[in-house]
Amino acid sequence: MTALTSVFKGLGTTFLIFLVAAVGLYPLMYVFASSPISIIEGKGTLGAHPLWLTAFYLHIILGGVALLVGWPQFFPKWRNRHLPLHRKLGKVYIGSILLVSGPTSFFLAFFAFGGMGTKMGFGLLAIFWFTSTLLAFLAVRRKQISSHKEWMIRSYALSLAAVSLRIYMPIMQAGFRWDFEYSYS
């Protein structure tokens, strides 16, 4: 690897970590907002329903936690040096998805903006996210480390859908002048 390639790889990694941190911390904006949040207001009466609201907040907060604790796991030197911390963060990641954020994302998919295609897309994303995380968990329990690693890569790639959405939504809305619902779908 040339020095220039190494620099670009380092910049790309740094930029990805910045995006992950920004999206992982993004739910705090909803939690500490002093005025109504447009995505909740856009839901009309559903946005005031306690079940939907609880699912929404649990999903975004624990999905953010999964993003924040997941990325360090992909640095082999760090992971090998801090194996007990890797295991603790892994439990937080897996628990946040399997116990809360995965199931709530499936529930919320039924109420997604943008019509049936968006609902199906988010529903499938929720199923794949939950399943890949579950398979990663089962693999590590069986001490199948190679399989665990492969499934965790898939799981985190699906977690990064939240980052991708936050990147392309403003591009579609500002760059192409598409409205929220069309861009979202």
Side-chain angles (χ1 to χ4, degrees):
M1 178 169 14
T2 67
L4 187 58
T5 304
S6 181
V7 167
F8 280 121
K9 184 178 178 186
L11 287 173
T13 301
T14 302
F15 185 60
L16 179 61
I17 291 168
F18 168 77
L19 290 173
V20 165
V23 174
L25 295 170
Y26 186 74
L28 294 176
M29 180 185 85
Y30 290 97
V31 173
F32 296 113
S34 58
S35 60
I37 307 297
S38 61
I39 195 164
I40 295 172
E41 280 189 323
K43 292 294 183 183
T45 57
L46 180 64
H49 193 282
L51 181 60
W52 185 89
L53 215 54
T54 301
F56 174 76
Y57 279 110
L58 286 172
H59 170 69
I60 65 169
I61 291 167
L62 288 166
V65 166
L67 280 171
L68 293 170
V69 302
W71 68 266
Q73 313 295 341
F74 291 95
F75 294 94
K77 288 181 186 176
W78 178 90
R79 187 178 60 238
N80 294 336
R81 253 184 289 182
H82 305 284
L83 202 53
L85 183 57
H86 164 74
R87 289 180 178 138
K88 286 178 185 167
L89 292 177
K91 288 175 184 175
V92 170
Y93 177 85
I94 287 174
S96 69
I97 294 169
L98 294 183
L99 299 176
V100 179
S101 206
T104 57
S105 65
F106 186 74
F107 170 75
L108 293 169
F110 288 95
F111 307 101
F113 289 109
M116 187 55 70
T118 307
K119 293 174 198 274
M120 288 177 58
F122 279 123
L124 288 171
L125 175 60
I127 291 167
F128 295 151
W129 192 33
F130 182 90
T131 303
S132 62
T133 307
L134 177 62
L135 291 171
F137 171 72
L138 295 174
V140 80
R141 298 289 297 165
R142 291 187 295 250
K143 307 232 185 291
Q144 298 169 339
I145 304 306
S146 178
S147 179
H148 167 71
K149 182 179 176 181
E150 290 172 10
W151 283 111
M152 286 306 297
I153 290 169
R154 293 177 183 113
S155 172
Y156 200 69
L158 293 166
S159 296
L160 291 174
V163 176
S164 300
L165 179 68
R166 280 7 169 256
I167 292 171
Y168 68 70
M169 282 295 296
I171 293 170
M172 291 179 180
Q173 289 181 284
F176 296 111
R177 305 255 186 245
W178 294 348
D179 68 15
F180 173 81
E181 194 166 322
Y182 189 74
S183 299
Y184 201 70
S185 64

